[in-house]
Amino acid sequence: MDRVLVARQSLPPEDAAPSGPPYAPAAAALGGQPTISLDVPITAVFLFLFICGAVAHMTIFQLNRRRGHKFVFSGVMFGFCMARTSTCVMRIVWAFRPTNIPVAIAASILVAAGVVLLFLINLLFAQRILRAAHPNSGWHPLMSLTFKVLYAILAGTLIIIISFTVLSFYTLDPTKRRIAHDLQLYGGTLFAVMAFLPIPIVLAGIIIPRKSRLEKFGSGRFRTKVYILLTAAFFLSLGAWFRISTNYLPARAINDPAWYQSKACFYIFNFGVEIVVIWLYVLVRVDRRFHIPNGSKGPGDYLGLTSKTSAHEGNEETSGMGRTVTRLMTEEEVFDDVPEDKVEEADREAARIHDVEK
């Protein structure tokens, strides 16, 4: 969480010269107070990029919906872009009304809380990759429950942090401010862990030997999905860990911010990393790459084995006599490195050998 959210706990009441609730922060925060000459033009650029991102994701969502292609994450990313649009607007308003503390509170909370949606999306993508690599363990009820607990903790922590952050601006009680400060540090640390968590989940899914074949889903190569998610998680983790690290450092006077509290750091490690992820997901079409069959509930559902599938999807081939032939996939096929015609040729050859043996 940004320093502005914990500033009231950093200095004693007499140093802040409070005039009444809500109380203005007295310590330096990441990015500081926005100014008209510098922050407004920069924020306007990000505002434009987030609006374009919202349009792109909503367009993809509507086109997919008309085709019966269900991918709710496009709608969630549209919601995130709209939340960031509101954040940018609030920061611009704050620049023009620097003494309006409620506006400052709203802008600060929106900056800290909005990115949680991207953390959630990446965790769900990581879960899909884990289930594809290890269907039995990935779909195990205990594993599913673990992810649900993570989502619940993420949502609950967000609610608690927002509540106590607002409270910290409306009280001078040292005990309440200390509790709010500790909860904000806890929340920021948890968010950083959640941002990083998809990386070890995906790496574990790749490194741990598989007991069954890979259940590919969506379009494109499986390893490309891994690279995309690792890249997005890296950028979000970088921003989250930088933000919370600055809040663990000693407080600085509001007129003497440290280098890591500069405006450049604020825009790079907040809006900058988020724009990279939002547009990465647009350009690589995650709506196609991370799509799974509707109603997937267990091993084999990603392959569509409960319905009629093509030969290479079900890893089966029906011979001319109506018999079904099953063969093991090669390493190249597992990672989608074999052209489509080569896969079909291998399936036909397996069927031919099976017929000869009969």
Side-chain angles (χ1 to χ4, degrees):
M1 307 292 286
D2 293 339
R3 178 75 68 180
V4 69
L5 301 182
V6 297
R8 292 302 311 167
Q9 295 79 30
S10 303
L11 296 178
E14 57 269 23
D15 292 339
S19 57
Y23 305 107
L30 179 61
Q33 181 173 299
T35 61
I36 298 176
S37 59
L38 180 60
D39 290 83
V40 170
I42 297 176
T43 305
V45 172
F46 281 108
L47 175 63
F48 174 76
L49 292 176
F50 281 121
I51 291 176
C52 291
V55 172
H57 281 290
M58 180 49 66
T59 300
I60 292 174
F61 178 77
Q62 292 296 338
L63 291 176
N64 286 333
R65 186 179 63 85
R66 293 172 186 173
R67 292 196 298 262
H69 182 87
K70 183 180 179 181
F71 193 77
V72 296
F73 298 114
S74 294
V76 176
M77 284 183 275
F78 164 79
F80 168 77
C81 289
M82 293 306 298
R84 275 296 177 252
T85 299
S86 300
T87 304
C88 292
V89 170
M90 292 303 296
R91 282 191 63 83
I92 292 174
V93 173
W94 185 12
F96 283 96
R97 304 182 64 181
T99 60
N100 192 316
I101 306 304
V103 171
I105 296 174
S108 302
I109 291 177
L110 286 173
V111 168
V115 71
V116 172
L117 289 176
L118 293 184
F119 298 161
L120 178 62
I121 290 174
N122 280 359
L123 280 173
L124 289 167
F125 284 172
Q127 185 180 31
R128 292 187 175 185
I129 288 180
L130 179 63
R131 286 174 170 175
H134 300 276
N136 293 327
S137 58
W139 283 103
H140 192 278
L142 182 60
M143 183 66 69
S144 299
L145 178 61
T146 301
F147 275 93
K148 291 178 181 178
V149 170
L150 289 177
Y151 305 148
I153 292 175
L154 192 62
T157 300
L158 178 61
I159 295 173
I160 292 174
I161 288 178
I162 292 176
S163 301
F164 278 86
T165 295
V166 174
L167 173 64
S168 68
F169 281 93
Y170 283 85
T171 182
L172 294 177
D173 183 271
T175 302
K176 292 181 179 179
R177 290 191 297 166
R178 179 182 57 80
I179 294 175
H181 172 261
D182 293 342
L183 285 174
Q184 289 158 3
L185 289 180
Y186 150 74
T189 305
L190 178 71
F191 290 165
V193 171
M194 292 295 186
F196 177 77
L197 198 54
I199 295 177
I201 291 176
V202 170
L203 293 180
I206 297 174
I207 296 174
I208 297 176
R210 293 196 298 271
K211 297 181 180 180
S212 60
R213 63 190 179 89
L214 185 76
E215 293 189 1
K216 296 181 291 184
F217 62 91
S219 64
R221 301 165 64 186
F222 183 76
R223 63 180 61 185
T224 303
K225 297 178 178 64
V226 172
Y227 296 152
I228 292 171
L229 183 54
L230 291 180
T231 300
F234 167 77
F235 279 106
L236 293 181
S237 299
L238 180 64
W241 281 108
F242 179 88
R243 293 191 297 270
I244 189 58
S245 297
T246 63
N247 287 336
Y248 276 106
L249 298 175
R252 301 286 292 265
I254 196 169
N255 58 351
D256 184 32
W259 66 267
Y260 50 79
Q261 296 172 323
S262 65
K263 296 183 183 299
C265 290
F266 172 84
Y267 288 108
I268 291 174
F269 294 103
N270 277 293
F271 298 160
V273 296
E274 294 166 3
I275 282 293
V276 170
V277 174
I278 283 297
W279 281 100
L280 171 68
Y281 283 171
V282 170
L283 297 176
V284 301
R285 295 302 300 271
V286 293
D287 60 298
R288 295 176 179 174
R289 295 182 182 275
F290 285 88
H291 178 262
I292 60 175
N294 294 338
S296 297
K297 297 180 180 179
D301 287 351
Y302 283 2
L303 297 174
L305 296 181
T306 56
S307 61
K308 293 183 179 180
T309 60
S310 62
H312 67 278
E313 285 178 332
N315 205 34
E316 297 178 344
E317 178 72 21
T318 302
S319 66
M321 301 298 294
R323 292 186 299 270
T324 299
V325 180
T326 303
R327 64 181 181 80
L328 295 176
M329 297 178 69
T330 65
E331 179 182 359
E332 290 78 11
E333 289 176 69
V334 166
F335 289 103
D336 254 345
D337 287 338
V338 176
E340 194 79 8
D341 58 337
K342 296 295 183 181
V343 176
E344 295 177 355
E345 180 181 344
D347 286 335
R348 288 193 297 269
E349 179 64 18
R352 186 189 65 80
I353 293 176
H354 182 273
D355 290 337
V356 170
E357 291 176 350
K358 290 292 185 180

